Amino acid sequence: MDSLITVFLPLALAIIMFSLGLGLTVEDFRRVVTRPKAFAIGASTQLILIPLVAYVLTILFRLPPELAVGMMILALCPGGVTANLLTKLAGGEVALSISLTGIISLVAVVTVPVLVAFFAGHFMGLDAPAIDVTALGVSMFLITLVPVLIGLAIRSFAESAALRLDAIVSRVAVVLFVVVVVGALAANWSLFLANLTVLAPALIILNVVLLAAGIFFARLFGLTMPEGKAIALETGVQNATLGITVGSLIVEQASALPPFSLPSAVYGITMYIVSIPFVLWLRGR
């Protein structure tokens, strides 16, 4: 289990983020300026709506403090490669999805450490772990932002090679994600079973509400259906691997996956139970 926490988990996240970088282009970042409306709505739902809904659910379901912090960690994570893939399958605007994932991932390096420290203190009080915000930010920078920038650089200077590499890395990223989730749940099986009846409903409701909210706000502000699909999936599908990793990083010398990571690990399964039927419904619209 030590190797999963100290080596495999950060490596898996770095490869997943590298895959994201390979799918990015400079044009994706320019789109933020040239088409600000859709991006602003998508960014607002990710940065404001998701944490708000997650916080309400932690209160309604009376989650234990450590699991409540884990729920907020998940909510603070941006969308990931999975959201981009599901957007493509749903017939959504992939470029907008990638733009949102890329930009919010950059912002998360700053926002996640600060807000995780805040919510840990809020829910746990004196029992909260001592979180070194700077160290957590540096760790996130190294295992998320650096791989994204390397992938972006390869895509910028050798596009054909990047596209070939992306096909391979994307498959590896999916396999690593599955291994991380299965390993996380296996190592915390008793804790998982003890909290499944509370965690699973809360996470499924989180998924359903956020997917529906994404569509609602896209229609409210007059966006196209492809834009609405992208925003819905970016809002409703979080980077579970990042959530698991952050949860383990805030516990010093963790030899097993802590409860802070459990909501993200369970979410890695429940999100497909909700999102795949949602994608199939979107394909027909």
Side-chain angles (χ1 to χ4, degrees), residues 124-196:
M124 300 183 68
L126 296 176
D127 294 327
I131 299 175
D132 188 331
V133 174
T134 302
L136 181 57
V138 170
S139 297
M140 287 189 61
F141 173 81
L142 292 175
I143 61 180
T144 61
L145 186 54
V146 170
V148 168
L149 294 177
I150 292 174
L152 177 60
I154 294 175
R155 177 67 180 267
S156 299
F157 294 104
E159 184 172 1
S160 58
L163 293 175
R164 290 194 300 270
L165 184 60
D166 187 32
I168 299 172
V169 174
S170 296
R171 294 188 183 95
V172 173
V174 171
V175 172
L176 289 174
F177 172 77
V178 172
V179 171
V180 167
V181 171
V182 171
L185 293 178
N188 296 268
W189 190 246
S190 59
L191 184 63
F192 167 68
L193 290 178
N195 293 280
L196 181 62

Side-chain angles (χ1 to χ4, degrees), residues 10 13-22 24 29 78 101-111 113 136-154 239 242 245-246 249:
L13 179 59
I15 292 176
I16 290 170
M17 299 308 292
F18 176 62
S19 174
L20 171 61
L22 288 173
L24 288 170
F29 294 95
T101 300
I103 297 293
I104 302 301
S105 294
L106 302 182
V107 174
V109 173
V110 176
T111 59
L136 181 57
V138 170
S139 297
M140 287 189 61
F141 173 81
L142 292 175
I143 61 180
T144 61
L145 186 54
V146 170
V148 168
L149 294 177
I150 292 174
L152 177 60
I154 294 175
N239 189 337
L242 178 57
T245 305
V246 171
L249 286 174

Side-chain angles (χ1 to χ4, degrees), residues 8-94:
F8 194 81
L9 182 55
L11 177 62
L13 179 59
I15 292 176
I16 290 170
M17 299 308 292
F18 176 62
S19 174
L20 171 61
L22 288 173
L24 288 170
T25 65
V26 176
E27 185 60 32
D28 292 322
F29 294 95
R30 292 196 184 117
R31 193 172 292 106
V32 176
V33 178
T34 58
R35 297 175 60 187
K37 182 180 178 180
F39 179 86
I41 294 169
S44 297
T45 58
Q46 285 205 23
L47 295 173
I48 300 172
L49 181 65
I50 299 175
L52 179 61
V53 173
Y55 182 82
V56 170
L57 289 174
T58 63
I59 303 301
L60 291 178
F61 281 85
R62 298 181 180 179
L63 294 183
E66 290 179 322
L67 295 183
V69 175
M71 175 78 100
M72 296 312 302
I73 289 174
L74 173 66
L76 296 171
C77 291
V81 178
T82 303
N84 305 151
L85 176 60
L86 292 176
T87 298
K88 181 177 181 180
L89 294 175
E93 188 167 327
V94 179

